[in-house]
């Protein structure tokens, strides 16, 4: 038995080695990670990227496409058989059907393999035939990266930090009251423990909906099939002197450790550590619209998320990566079709300010980084309107709520990002002077010509930066 199972493992590993050798020698694989906080635009980005690679008529800035070297592109079964497949077809039909709508929220990891048959460029083109490059796109919630910081914290450190952080938040009132009423030294009572974990989870959800980005443990918000399991049934508790082995405190401590070992580590080991190129999507306009506090929360949330790309800081990750690193990271402000192109540079500037620390650190550890603003699907057209004698650069689209067409002026973003970042850091309640508005536009009905994917803004530039060098 033992021998046969050893033999089986060996054959399997030989198989997988030879598989990966043939792939790397003849058919390169690029693993592209797509992440961002909730609602940042991951699903729409992947759907439009794939559609625009299958029909690359609008991908002028992707060299392989503009040089006409992409001979074919097709979806293939993905290599990771236990990861859900990215549901490309239904997201695409939501976006491009007769009554277009945005796809539903996804909130789980998923994967899609797009294979491109590309003719080599330059001198090689006459010597070599076309080759196949596999693009494995992995969509995962940015919130999962926040959990990396938990690995280095003990239960009591984590508890102390979280309890201090939630002290002023009204969303945590119920949880705090319940905690005050709990004897953490008493022997575990499962229903009470469950109730406490539940009210902590309710707090996390409310906090996230209110725009806070520091909501860990990440899987409490997106439990999937772990819902109700002990590994998600704990909450931060105040320090206690020598709690007994069977106490609520010790039980929650053990569950916190199990969460780290059995939920957090496998994600980093099986997914994160294998990513070659990464795009981080940021709904900067949404945060600006919500106000200074949302901008500051987003900035700190992003800084924490992005610390995962500086592995030196984390011992577990350093061991795991063994020197391998993400080669390129793109920070992209999404939904740029909400503003006139005259403002796109300013949006990119704000995006750079939001991610400055992270980008510096990533560059320091050897990754190439870039920032841009894009729209994965362009839902608006531009229009200049004369309003009370003033020329206003507007965008026009179909409002999601009423279905009616409207032209809309979002406000002027500042030339200097610190006009936003400084009051945000200083805890301002609202913006002084300018108001930033945002309408929700529905995707526009499309009549696509053959060879053209859905309209976008700078998706081709994003693609060129992320993997153009490999095509
Ligand atoms: N106008 C415009 N809106 C967009 C664009 N991309 C995303 N949105 C809006 O942002 C919302 C969220 O986009 P998704 O792609 O579902 O975001 P996500 O990051 O996958 O969200 P979760 O799966 O919930 O984490 C959409 O429902 C749209 O309202 C875009 O290119 N243009
Ligand atoms: Mg999604």
């Amino acid at each position: 038995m033992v021998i046969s199972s050893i033999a089986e493992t060996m054959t399997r590993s030989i198989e997988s080695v030879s598989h990966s050798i043939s792939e790397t020698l003849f058919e390169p694989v690029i693993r592209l990670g797509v992440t961002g906080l909730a609602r940042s635009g991951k699903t729409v980005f992947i759907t439009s990227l794939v559609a625009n690679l299958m029909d690359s008529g609008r991908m002028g800035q992707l060299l392989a496409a503009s040089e006409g070297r992409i001979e074919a592109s097709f979806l293939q079964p993905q290599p990771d058989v236990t990861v859900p497949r990215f549901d490309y077809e239904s997201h695409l039909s939501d976006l491009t059907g007769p009554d277009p709508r945005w796809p539903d929220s996804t909130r789980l990891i998923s994967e899609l393999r797009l294979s491109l048959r590309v003719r080599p460029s330059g001198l090689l083109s006459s010597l070599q035939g076309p080759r196949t490059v596999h693009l494995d796109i992995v969509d995962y919630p940015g919130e999962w990266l926040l959990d990396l910081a938990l690995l280095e914290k003990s239960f009591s450190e984590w508890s102390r930090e979280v309890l201090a952080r939630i002290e002023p938040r009204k969303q945590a009132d119920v949880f705090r009251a319940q905690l005050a009423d709990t004897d953490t030294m008493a022997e575990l009572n499962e229903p009470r423990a469950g109730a406490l974990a539940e009210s902590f989870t309710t707090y996390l959800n409310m906090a996230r909906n209110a725009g806070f980005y520091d909501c860990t443990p990440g899987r409490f918000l997106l439990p999937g099939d772990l819902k109700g399991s002990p590994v998600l049934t704990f909450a931060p508790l105040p320090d206690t002197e020598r709690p007994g082995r069977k106490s609520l405190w010790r039980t929650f401590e053990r569950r916190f450790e199990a969460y780290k070992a059995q939920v957090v580590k496998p994600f980093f080991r099986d997914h994160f550590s294998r990513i070659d190129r990464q795009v981080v999507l940021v709904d900067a306009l949404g945060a600006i619209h919500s106000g200074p506090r949302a901008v500051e929360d987003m900035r700190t949330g992003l800084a924490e998320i992005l610390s995962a790309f500086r592995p030196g800081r984390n011992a577990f990750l350093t061991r795991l990566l063994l020197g391998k690193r993400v080669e390129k990271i793109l920070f992209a402000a999404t939904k740029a079709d909400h503003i006139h192109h005259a403002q796109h540079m300013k949006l990119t500037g704000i995006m750079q300010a939001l991610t400055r620390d992270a980008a510096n650190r990533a560059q320091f550890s050897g990754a190439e980084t870039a920032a841009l603003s894009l729209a994965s699907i362009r839902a608006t057209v531009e229009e200049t309107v004369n309003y009370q004698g003033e020329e206003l650069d507007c965008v026009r689209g179909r409002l999601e709520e009423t279905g009616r067409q409207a032209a809309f002026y979002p406000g002027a973003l500042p030339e200097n990002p610190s006009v936003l970042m400084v009051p945000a850091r200083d805890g301002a309640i609202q913006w002084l002077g300018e108001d930033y508005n945002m309408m929700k536009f529905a995707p526009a009905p499309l009549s696509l010509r053959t060879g053209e994917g859905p309209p976008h803004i700078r998706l081709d530039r994003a693609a060129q930066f992320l993997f153009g060098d490999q095509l």
Side-chain angles (χ1 to χ4, degrees):
M1 269 257 308
V2 176
I3 291 180
S4 74
S5 76
I6 290 176
E8 199 194 326
T9 329
M10 276 175 53
T11 353
R12 237 188 284 131
S13 53
I14 290 169
E15 262 172 22
S16 68
V17 165
S18 62
H19 186 60
S20 62
I21 286 179
S22 75
E23 275 196 343
T24 44
L25 279 185
F26 307 112
E27 298 191 342
V29 179
I30 310 162
R31 270 182 96 80
L32 172 64
V34 179
T35 198
L37 295 162
R39 312 309 286 148
S40 54
K42 302 178 287 292
T43 304
V44 177
F45 176 86
I46 297 175
T47 309
S48 184
L49 178 67
V50 171
N52 275 292
L53 287 170
M54 304 254 262
D55 288 302
S56 58
R58 289 188 209 259
M59 296 294 272
Q61 298 286 324
L62 177 65
L63 287 182
S66 62
E67 293 169 2
R69 292 191 287 107
I70 303 182
E71 294 194 337
S73 33
F74 42 97
L75 294 172
Q76 294 223 75
Q78 68 203 43
D80 303 280
V81 289
T82 55
V83 180
R85 179 178 183 274
F86 180 86
D87 194 359
Y88 170 71
E89 292 76 6
S90 45
H91 298 323
L92 186 69
S93 72
D94 281 345
L95 285 166
T96 59
D99 179 23
R101 56 183 203 89
W102 300 109
D104 290 337
S105 181
T106 42
R107 309 280 171 83
L108 270 182
I109 190 162
S110 65
E111 182 178 334
L112 188 70
R113 168 168 281 197
L114 176 71
S115 300
L116 302 163
R117 199 158 61 239
V118 201
R119 260 187 298 115
S121 61
L123 274 180
L124 288 177
S125 59
S126 52
L127 301 173
Q128 273 180 2
R131 60 199 178 108
T132 305
V133 179
H134 303 289
L135 189 62
D136 287 345
I137 306 175
V138 184
D139 170 5
Y140 66 93
E143 284 82 357
W144 289 11
L145 297 178
L146 289 174
D147 282 347
L148 182 65
L150 299 189
L151 292 179
E152 293 181 327
K153 287 176 190 152
S154 67
F155 178 61
S156 90
E157 284 167 339
W158 175 74
S159 292
R160 218 176 303 134
E161 279 179 27
V162 174
L163 293 175
R165 196 189 299 146
I166 69 179
E167 183 61 39
R169 295 186 187 170
K170 63 177 189 313
Q171 293 86 352
D173 285 352
V174 176
F175 170 68
R176 270 200 312 270
Q178 208 171 338
L179 192 56
D181 206 26
T182 303
D183 177 5
T184 59
M185 299 280 272
E187 196 167 310
L188 168 77
N189 169 326
E190 201 63 83
R192 291 209 61 159
L196 200 58
E198 204 173 300
S199 77
F200 181 61
T201 311
T202 308
Y203 151 72
L204 285 176
N205 277 298
M206 283 167 57
R208 196 209 27 209
N209 294 341
F212 290 105
Y213 290 108
D214 51 12
C215 303
T216 56
R219 221 55 74 90
F220 278 46
L221 296 165
L222 316 161
D225 51 7
L226 292 176
K227 194 172 168 57
S229 63
V231 82
L232 296 194
T233 310
F234 66 89
L237 299 177
D239 269 334
T240 355
E241 290 261 323
R242 277 189 288 240
R245 214 177 64 79
K246 291 186 174 168
S247 63
L248 179 74
W249 202 95
R250 284 281 180 232
T251 311
F252 277 12
E253 182 186 38
R254 280 194 295 275
R255 290 178 180 178
F256 176 78
E257 292 302 327
Y259 179 84
K260 285 169 23 182
Q262 291 174 42
V263 178
V264 183
K265 285 188 174 176
F267 163 69
F268 281 92
R269 189 186 59 224
D270 301 339
H271 303 293
F272 185 76
S273 68
R274 294 164 58 213
I275 286 169
D276 304 309
R277 310 283 166 103
Q278 176 70 52
V279 53
V280 181
L281 302 177
V282 182
D283 181 10
L285 284 172
I288 296 169
H289 167 66
S290 302
R293 214 205 58 208
V295 168
E296 180 59 7
D297 289 336
M298 176 175 269
R299 191 188 64 80
T300 48
L302 279 169
E304 198 157 329
I305 280 187
L306 297 171
S307 67
F309 295 101
R310 188 179 51 143
R313 219 192 61 161
N314 186 290
F316 162 74
L317 205 55
T318 309
R319 269 199 315 279
L320 191 67
L321 295 176
L322 288 173
K324 176 186 182 319
R325 59 162 185 258
V326 179
E327 296 153 346
K328 288 178 170 223
I329 307 175
L330 177 66
F331 300 102
T334 50
K335 314 179 194 181
D337 57 330
H338 281 97
I339 53 175
H340 193 272
H341 76 268
Q343 300 217 52
H344 285 182
M345 281 304 287
K346 296 182 193 164
L347 178 59
T348 306
I350 293 166
M351 171 73 205
Q352 271 165 327
L354 276 169
T355 54
R356 173 148 307 134
D357 294 348
N360 286 345
R361 291 193 204 116
Q363 281 162 5
F364 185 73
S365 63
E368 191 185 333
T369 69
L372 55 74
S373 30
L374 59 78
S376 311
I377 296 267
R378 184 175 198 152
T380 63
V381 291
E382 298 186 339
E383 189 172 298
T384 302
V385 172
N386 192 304
Y387 178 72
Q388 297 179 347
E390 207 187 334
E391 300 269 282
L392 289 181
D393 285 336
C394 297
V395 290
R396 166 182 288 280
R398 188 164 60 99
L399 297 182
E400 198 165 45
E401 242 174 43
T402 59
R404 281 222 295 270
Q405 287 280 332
F408 168 74
Y409 178 69
L413 294 173
E415 206 68 60
N416 180 351
S418 56
V419 172
L420 299 178
M421 311 301 281
V422 172
R425 243 179 243 229
D426 293 348
I429 305 295
Q430 59 190 48
W431 302 119
L432 280 180
E434 195 77 33
D435 254 345
Y436 303 102
N437 303 304
M438 226 174 137
M439 294 312 269
K440 276 206 79 163
F441 294 107
L446 302 173
S447 52
L448 300 180
R449 275 176 292 182
T450 15
E452 275 188 352
H456 62 80
I457 300 172
R458 281 189 281 275
L459 199 58
D460 48 350
R461 288 236 247 140
Q464 176 62 30
F465 174 78
L466 286 167
F467 50 82
D469 60 320
Q470 299 288 310
L471 300 182

